[in-house]
């Protein structure tokens, strides 16, 4: 019986000593590169298609070939594009608003949440809705602005990377403020 106790004690002691030198390694979580956000300043952008707005200095507005009033806005170091389309209303406003909402609805499959913000500036005749789509969606921001009688502008943001909401969240938070600035300062000519 004494030999059995000594043997069991020896096995326990050997197990403790053998495990003491080992370290449990835990893999590090994925990380992302530091994001260098551009300085925030604004210039007045006046378009030949009948509108103007405060444009962030890092927005680089380009004409779209074959589309006289469509613009691609290069988002510079944010690695994305804001597609702006200006349309003259030739049918009821509801058709254009429903089309914009349908475009948002296309992303429901991937979106974890969709939030909307309404813009109403009666004095300037600017009305619209901003849609924020959360999750791994192709287009995290979409919006439209209208004077409700003859002009309609829609905007859609795309990033030049595979959608990964967590990794682009800092860029989204930064860009959202600048899109709100655009929407809050848009004026019709």
């Amino acid at each position: 019986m004494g030999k059995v106790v000594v043997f069991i004690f020896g096995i326990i002691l050997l197990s403790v000593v053998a495990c003491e030198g080992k370290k449990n390694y835990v893999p590090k979580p994925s990380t992302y590169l530091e994001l260098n956000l551009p300085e925030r300043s604004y210039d007045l952008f006046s378009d030949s298609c009948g509108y103007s707005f405060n444009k962030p200095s890092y927005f680089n507005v380009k004409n779209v070939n074959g589309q006289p009033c469509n613009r691609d806005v290069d988002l510079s170091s944010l690695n994305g594009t804001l597609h702006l389309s200006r349309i003259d209303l030739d049918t009821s406003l509801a058709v254009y608003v429903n089309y914009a909402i349908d475009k948002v609805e296309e992303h429901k499959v991937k979106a974890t949440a969709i939030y909307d913000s309404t813009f109403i500036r009666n004095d300037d005749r600017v009305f619209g809705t901003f849609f924020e789509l959360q999750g791994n969606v192709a287009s995290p921001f979409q919006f439209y602005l209208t004077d409700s009688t003859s002009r309609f502008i829609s905007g859609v943001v795309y990033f030049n990377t595979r959608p990964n909401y967590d990794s682009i969240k800092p860029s989204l938070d930064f860009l959202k403020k600048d899109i709100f600035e655009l929407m809050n300062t848009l004026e019709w000519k």
Side-chain angles (χ1 to χ4, degrees):
M1 178 95 163
K3 290 182 181 181
V4 173
V5 171
V6 171
F7 178 73
I8 292 174
F9 179 73
I11 289 178
I12 293 172
L13 184 62
L14 184 62
S15 297
V16 169
V17 170
C19 292
E20 191 172 311
K22 290 185 178 181
K23 293 184 179 180
N24 291 330
Y25 292 98
V26 177
K28 291 182 180 180
S30 298
T31 59
Y32 301 98
L33 298 175
E34 179 183 356
L35 184 62
N36 294 319
L37 297 172
E39 291 292 322
R40 187 170 267 133
S41 64
Y42 300 97
D43 303 312
L44 182 64
F45 174 78
S46 185
D47 196 286
S48 61
C49 290
Y51 61 90
S52 64
F53 59 84
N54 282 350
K55 176 187 81 66
S57 58
Y58 67 93
F59 276 21
N60 183 15
V61 181
K62 302 174 186 173
N63 294 335
V64 176
N65 290 338
Q67 303 293 324
C69 284
N70 289 355
R71 306 289 180 255
D72 280 344
V73 180
D74 178 20
L75 302 178
S76 182
S77 63
L78 297 180
N79 194 23
T81 304
L82 166 61
H83 298 287
L84 287 176
S85 301
R86 187 202 179 274
I87 303 163
D88 290 322
L89 299 179
D90 60 2
T91 187
S92 90
L93 176 62
V95 170
Y96 297 98
V97 171
N98 288 336
Y99 179 78
I101 292 170
D102 288 346
K103 286 303 197 185
V104 171
E105 297 284 324
E106 289 176 4
H107 296 277
K108 268 189 164 180
V109 175
K110 292 279 187 178
T112 57
I114 299 174
Y115 299 101
D116 61 79
S117 303
T118 303
F119 285 76
I120 300 174
R121 296 180 22 235
N122 286 319
D123 293 343
D124 296 319
R125 304 265 329 137
V126 177
F127 313 98
T129 303
F130 173 84
F131 298 95
E132 179 178 357
L133 295 86
Q134 295 182 348
N136 296 332
V137 295
S139 174
F141 297 139
Q142 297 185 29
F143 65 90
Y144 68 85
L145 295 167
T146 182
D147 66 358
S148 78
T149 56
S150 61
R151 296 173 282 208
F152 188 89
I153 293 176
S154 69
V156 180
V157 172
Y158 292 101
F159 284 96
N160 302 322
T161 183
R162 186 171 178 244
N164 183 343
Y165 184 72
D166 292 338
S167 68
I168 63 171
K169 180 86 169 87
S171 296
L172 295 176
D173 293 341
F174 184 84
L175 179 60
K176 182 178 177 180
K177 290 179 183 176
D178 290 333
I179 292 176
F180 275 30
E181 177 71 15
L182 180 158
M183 295 179 77
N184 280 318
T185 61
L186 184 121
E187 291 184 6
W188 309 109
K189 293 192 226 171

